[in-house]
Amino acid sequence: MDKRGTFLIIGIIFWIVAAGLMHYLGPIFLDGALLHILFWIANFAFAAVSIILIAKATGRTKHDMLVPVTIMAMPAMIMDGLSITADAQGLTHIYANTPLLAAYSGGFLLFAFWSFFFFALVWHRDAKV
């Protein structure tokens, strides 16, 4: 399997883990103000650590992770959009049991994607420069 397939699989694994965390921990952390803030800070830090670990595991540096982060985000974003839409309409309970928690999950996941892209862009170093 080439590296693109590896990054797609990593994106799918991240989605499965995020769905489980949001379903079971989301109602706990997204209710209280202090826990809510700590959850967002942990989310931001998790992105930085994850990019570095994935880079090392795939033989890259953190400076070469912009394209892989984009590839990893594609399947996760598609599944997030479908899942949150279904949750908000009461069709499934993948992320949340109520439309309000589905909205909180959506905002939290958008911030997670932003965090990954933030670090990938900040650390990106083009070889041609």
Side-chain angles (χ1 to χ4, degrees):
M1 181 183 303
D2 66 350
K3 293 285 185 186
R4 290 173 297 203
T6 301
F7 293 120
L8 279 172
I9 290 171
I10 291 170
I12 292 167
I13 291 169
F14 265 83
W15 179 80
I16 292 168
V17 170
L21 287 174
M22 292 308 295
H23 182 78
Y24 294 107
L25 298 180
I28 297 167
F29 286 99
L30 296 177
D31 266 349
L34 180 60
L35 287 177
H36 193 115
I37 292 167
L38 292 175
F39 204 44
W40 287 70
I41 292 169
N43 181 2
F44 191 68
F46 176 77
V49 172
S50 294
I51 289 175
I52 292 169
L53 292 175
I54 292 168
K56 290 198 182 296
T58 58
R60 294 174 171 261
T61 67
K62 67 180 184 180
H63 305 291
D64 302 322
M65 289 300 291
L66 183 57
V67 172
V69 165
T70 305
I71 293 170
M72 289 185 297
M74 286 188 299
M77 284 182 162
I78 290 167
M79 294 307 296
D80 284 337
L82 293 171
S83 300
I84 291 170
T85 301
D87 277 359
Q89 294 178 358
L91 302 175
T92 64
H93 299 294
I94 294 171
Y95 285 121
N97 295 327
T98 66
L100 180 62
L101 282 175
Y104 283 160
S105 296
F108 184 78
L109 292 166
L110 284 174
F111 182 74
F113 287 119
W114 177 85
S115 299
F116 273 89
F117 284 116
F118 172 80
F119 286 110
L121 283 169
V122 167
W123 291 332
H124 182 67
R125 185 174 53 210
D126 193 0
K128 298 175 185 174
V129 175

Short mmCIF file of all heavy atoms in Angstrom, two decimals, residues 80-106:
data_model
loop_
_atom_site.label_atom_id
_atom_site.label_comp_id
_atom_site.label_asym_id
_atom_site.label_seq_id
_atom_site.Cartn_x
_atom_site.Cartn_y
_atom_site.Cartn_z
N ASP A 80 -17.89 12.73 9.47
CA ASP A 80 -18.39 13.68 10.46
C ASP A 80 -19.64 14.39 9.96
O ASP A 80 -20.62 14.52 10.68
CB ASP A 80 -17.33 14.74 10.81
CG ASP A 80 -16.26 14.20 11.72
OD1 ASP A 80 -16.53 13.22 12.42
OD2 ASP A 80 -15.17 14.78 11.73
N GLY A 81 -19.60 14.87 8.74
CA GLY A 81 -20.75 15.58 8.18
C GLY A 81 -21.99 14.70 8.13
O GLY A 81 -23.08 15.12 8.53
N LEU A 82 -21.82 13.49 7.65
CA LEU A 82 -22.96 12.57 7.58
C LEU A 82 -23.48 12.21 8.97
O LEU A 82 -24.69 12.18 9.21
CB LEU A 82 -22.55 11.30 6.83
CG LEU A 82 -22.25 11.46 5.34
CD1 LEU A 82 -21.66 10.18 4.78
CD2 LEU A 82 -23.49 11.87 4.58
N SER A 83 -22.59 11.95 9.90
CA SER A 83 -22.98 11.53 11.24
C SER A 83 -23.67 12.65 12.01
O SER A 83 -24.69 12.42 12.66
CB SER A 83 -21.75 11.05 12.02
OG SER A 83 -21.17 9.97 11.37
N ILE A 84 -23.11 13.84 11.95
CA ILE A 84 -23.71 14.95 12.70
C ILE A 84 -25.06 15.33 12.10
O ILE A 84 -26.01 15.63 12.83
CB ILE A 84 -22.75 16.15 12.75
CG1 ILE A 84 -21.56 15.79 13.65
CG2 ILE A 84 -23.44 17.40 13.28
CD1 ILE A 84 -20.44 16.76 13.61
N THR A 85 -25.19 15.28 10.79
CA THR A 85 -26.48 15.56 10.17
C THR A 85 -27.51 14.53 10.61
O THR A 85 -28.63 14.89 10.98
CB THR A 85 -26.34 15.54 8.63
OG1 THR A 85 -25.40 16.53 8.24
CG2 THR A 85 -27.67 15.82 7.96
N ALA A 86 -27.13 13.27 10.61
CA ALA A 86 -28.06 12.23 11.05
C ALA A 86 -28.38 12.37 12.54
O ALA A 86 -29.53 12.19 12.95
CB ALA A 86 -27.47 10.85 10.77
N ASP A 87 -27.38 12.74 13.36
CA ASP A 87 -27.63 12.95 14.79
C ASP A 87 -28.59 14.11 15.02
O ASP A 87 -29.50 14.00 15.84
CB ASP A 87 -26.31 13.23 15.52
CG ASP A 87 -25.54 11.98 15.88
OD1 ASP A 87 -26.03 10.87 15.58
OD2 ASP A 87 -24.46 12.11 16.46
N ALA A 88 -28.37 15.21 14.32
CA ALA A 88 -29.21 16.39 14.51
C ALA A 88 -30.66 16.12 14.11
O ALA A 88 -31.59 16.71 14.65
CB ALA A 88 -28.66 17.57 13.73
N GLN A 89 -30.87 15.21 13.18
CA GLN A 89 -32.22 14.86 12.75
C GLN A 89 -32.81 13.72 13.57
O GLN A 89 -33.92 13.28 13.32
CB GLN A 89 -32.22 14.50 11.26
CG GLN A 89 -31.89 15.68 10.39
CD GLN A 89 -31.82 15.32 8.93
OE1 GLN A 89 -32.00 14.17 8.55
NE2 GLN A 89 -31.59 16.32 8.10
N GLY A 90 -32.06 13.23 14.55
CA GLY A 90 -32.54 12.18 15.41
C GLY A 90 -32.52 10.79 14.78
O GLY A 90 -33.14 9.87 15.29
N LEU A 91 -31.80 10.64 13.69
CA LEU A 91 -31.77 9.34 13.00
C LEU A 91 -30.77 8.37 13.61
O LEU A 91 -30.98 7.16 13.58
CB LEU A 91 -31.45 9.56 11.52
CG LEU A 91 -32.42 10.46 10.75
CD1 LEU A 91 -31.93 10.69 9.34
CD2 LEU A 91 -33.81 9.84 10.74
N THR A 92 -29.67 8.88 14.11
CA THR A 92 -28.66 8.03 14.74
C THR A 92 -28.20 8.70 16.03
O THR A 92 -28.60 9.82 16.33
CB THR A 92 -27.43 7.84 13.83
OG1 THR A 92 -26.80 9.10 13.65
CG2 THR A 92 -27.79 7.24 12.50
N HIS A 93 -27.38 8.03 16.75
CA HIS A 93 -26.79 8.60 17.96
C HIS A 93 -25.30 8.30 17.97
O HIS A 93 -24.76 7.84 18.97
CB HIS A 93 -27.46 8.05 19.21
CG HIS A 93 -28.92 8.35 19.26
ND1 HIS A 93 -29.40 9.63 19.40
CD2 HIS A 93 -30.00 7.57 19.18
CE1 HIS A 93 -30.71 9.62 19.41
NE2 HIS A 93 -31.11 8.36 19.26
N ILE A 94 -24.65 8.57 16.84
CA ILE A 94 -23.23 8.27 16.74
C ILE A 94 -22.43 9.20 17.64
O ILE A 94 -21.60 8.76 18.42
CB ILE A 94 -22.75 8.37 15.27
CG1 ILE A 94 -23.42 7.28 14.45
CG2 ILE A 94 -21.23 8.29 15.19
CD1 ILE A 94 -23.20 7.40 12.97
N TYR A 95 -22.69 10.51 17.54
CA TYR A 95 -21.97 11.47 18.36
C TYR A 95 -22.75 11.89 19.59
O TYR A 95 -22.17 12.16 20.63
CB TYR A 95 -21.63 12.73 17.56
CG TYR A 95 -20.50 12.55 16.60
CD1 TYR A 95 -20.67 12.76 15.25
CD2 TYR A 95 -19.24 12.17 17.04
CE1 TYR A 95 -19.64 12.60 14.36
CE2 TYR A 95 -18.20 12.00 16.15
CZ TYR A 95 -18.40 12.22 14.82
OH TYR A 95 -17.38 12.06 13.95
N ALA A 96 -24.04 12.04 19.45
CA ALA A 96 -24.80 12.63 20.54
C ALA A 96 -26.24 12.13 20.53
O ALA A 96 -26.75 11.69 19.51
CB ALA A 96 -24.78 14.14 20.40
N ASN A 97 -26.87 12.25 21.67
CA ASN A 97 -28.26 11.83 21.80
C ASN A 97 -29.25 12.96 21.60
O ASN A 97 -30.44 12.72 21.52
CB ASN A 97 -28.49 11.20 23.18
CG ASN A 97 -27.70 9.92 23.35
OD1 ASN A 97 -27.49 9.19 22.38
ND2 ASN A 97 -27.24 9.67 24.55
N THR A 98 -28.77 14.20 21.58
CA THR A 98 -29.66 15.35 21.40
C THR A 98 -29.10 16.24 20.30
O THR A 98 -27.90 16.26 20.04
CB THR A 98 -29.78 16.18 22.69
OG1 THR A 98 -28.49 16.76 22.98
CG2 THR A 98 -30.22 15.32 23.86
N PRO A 99 -29.96 17.03 19.65
CA PRO A 99 -29.47 17.96 18.63
C PRO A 99 -28.48 18.98 19.19
O PRO A 99 -27.53 19.36 18.51
CB PRO A 99 -30.74 18.65 18.14
CG PRO A 99 -31.82 17.67 18.40
CD PRO A 99 -31.42 16.96 19.67
N LEU A 100 -28.66 19.40 20.44
CA LEU A 100 -27.73 20.36 21.04
C LEU A 100 -26.34 19.75 21.18
O LEU A 100 -25.34 20.38 20.81
CB LEU A 100 -28.24 20.84 22.39
CG LEU A 100 -27.34 21.85 23.10
CD1 LEU A 100 -27.22 23.13 22.28
CD2 LEU A 100 -27.86 22.15 24.49
N LEU A 101 -26.26 18.54 21.68
CA LEU A 101 -24.96 17.89 21.80
C LEU A 101 -24.36 17.59 20.43
O LEU A 101 -23.14 17.62 20.26
CB LEU A 101 -25.05 16.62 22.63
CG LEU A 101 -25.12 16.81 24.14
CD1 LEU A 101 -25.32 15.49 24.85
CD2 LEU A 101 -23.88 17.50 24.66
N ALA A 102 -25.19 17.33 19.43
CA ALA A 102 -24.69 17.13 18.07
C ALA A 102 -24.08 18.43 17.56
O ALA A 102 -23.02 18.42 16.91
CB ALA A 102 -25.82 16.67 17.14
N ALA A 103 -24.71 19.56 17.86
CA ALA A 103 -24.15 20.86 17.45
C ALA A 103 -22.83 21.13 18.16
O ALA A 103 -21.87 21.60 17.55
CB ALA A 103 -25.15 21.97 17.75
N TYR A 104 -22.77 20.84 19.48
CA TYR A 104 -21.52 21.00 20.22
C TYR A 104 -20.43 20.11 19.62
O TYR A 104 -19.29 20.53 19.46
CB TYR A 104 -21.70 20.64 21.69
CG TYR A 104 -22.39 21.66 22.54
CD1 TYR A 104 -22.97 21.28 23.74
CD2 TYR A 104 -22.48 22.99 22.16
CE1 TYR A 104 -23.61 22.21 24.55
CE2 TYR A 104 -23.12 23.92 22.96
CZ TYR A 104 -23.68 23.53 24.16
OH TYR A 104 -24.30 24.43 24.95
N SER A 105 -20.80 18.89 19.29
CA SER A 105 -19.84 17.96 18.69
C SER A 105 -19.34 18.49 17.35
O SER A 105 -18.15 18.41 17.05
CB SER A 105 -20.48 16.58 18.47
OG SER A 105 -20.83 16.01 19.70
N GLY A 106 -20.25 19.05 16.56
CA GLY A 106 -19.86 19.61 15.27
C GLY A 106 -18.86 20.74 15.42
O GLY A 106 -17.85 20.79 14.71
#
